[in-house]
Amino acid sequence: QVQLVESGGGLVQPGGSLRLSCAASGFTSDWYAIAWFRQAPGKEREGVSCISTSDGSTYYNSPVKGRFTISRDNAKNTVYLQMNNLKPEDTAVYYCAAGAWATMRDKLGSYEYDYWGQGTQVTVSS
C-alpha cells in the first residue's frame, strides 16, 4: 500500500524559499522515480522535477532550473524539493508522485506516475 505525503508548503514572499518534503512508504522496489508536479488555478498540471530513488538521476523543467533542487534521503524514504528565489508564478498546489523509473518515456509526464500525494499549497505573494 504505497502512500505519499507531502508537506512544507505555505505563504512566502517573492525571493523567499521553501522546502517541500515527500515522505513515501509501502514500496517494495528501489526502482522508482519520485517527482514533483504543480497545478495552478486554471492551468493544467505540469511536471517540476523528478529523481530516481535507485541512482539519484534528476530532471528539471525549464521554469525552475537554477532555482529548485530535488534531493533524496533513501534512508528516510523522503524526497525534498528545495525552492529558492520563489516567484509569484510558482504559486500552485504541489504534488509528489511515484512511478516505475525503468519504463518511463517522459519522466515529467503526469501519466507516467501511478501514486500521488494529496498536495501542499505554495503561495508566493507580497
Side-chain angles (χ1 to χ4, degrees):
Q1 296 184 356
V2 174
Q3 185 176 24
L4 303 172
V5 180
E6 55 268 79
S7 61
L11 175 64
V12 65
Q13 295 183 15
S17 298
L18 286 172
R19 187 178 72 163
L20 306 183
S21 299
C22 176
S25 62
F27 290 102
T28 59
S29 172
D30 293 332
W31 297 93
Y32 277 89
I34 295 182
W36 290 97
F37 292 81
R38 65 186 184 185
Q39 188 165 22
K43 297 183 178 179
E44 66 181 11
R45 189 169 297 180
E46 67 172 352
V48 176
S49 182
C50 72
I51 188 167
S52 168
T53 61
S54 59
D55 66 8
S57 300
T58 60
Y59 295 84
Y60 296 91
N61 201 356
S62 295
V64 308
K65 288 181 179 178
R67 298 188 297 120
F68 292 10
T69 303
I70 192 169
S71 62
R72 60 173 179 160
D73 186 338
N74 284 359
K76 297 182 178 180
N77 299 120
T78 301
V79 170
Y80 304 98
L81 185 68
Q82 179 67 46
M83 305 186 295
N84 296 328
N85 192 24
L86 283 161
K87 304 177 184 297
E89 53 263 41
D90 296 317
T91 295
V93 177
Y94 283 70
Y95 301 87
C96 63
W101 177 263
T103 59
M104 288 182 176
R105 300 176 184 177
D106 179 2
K107 290 176 170 47
L108 293 179
S110 61
Y111 56 88
E112 301 278 11
Y113 292 84
D114 301 310
Y115 306 101
W116 293 81
Q118 294 299 306
T120 185
Q121 177 71 48
V122 172
T123 302
V124 185
S125 176
S126 60

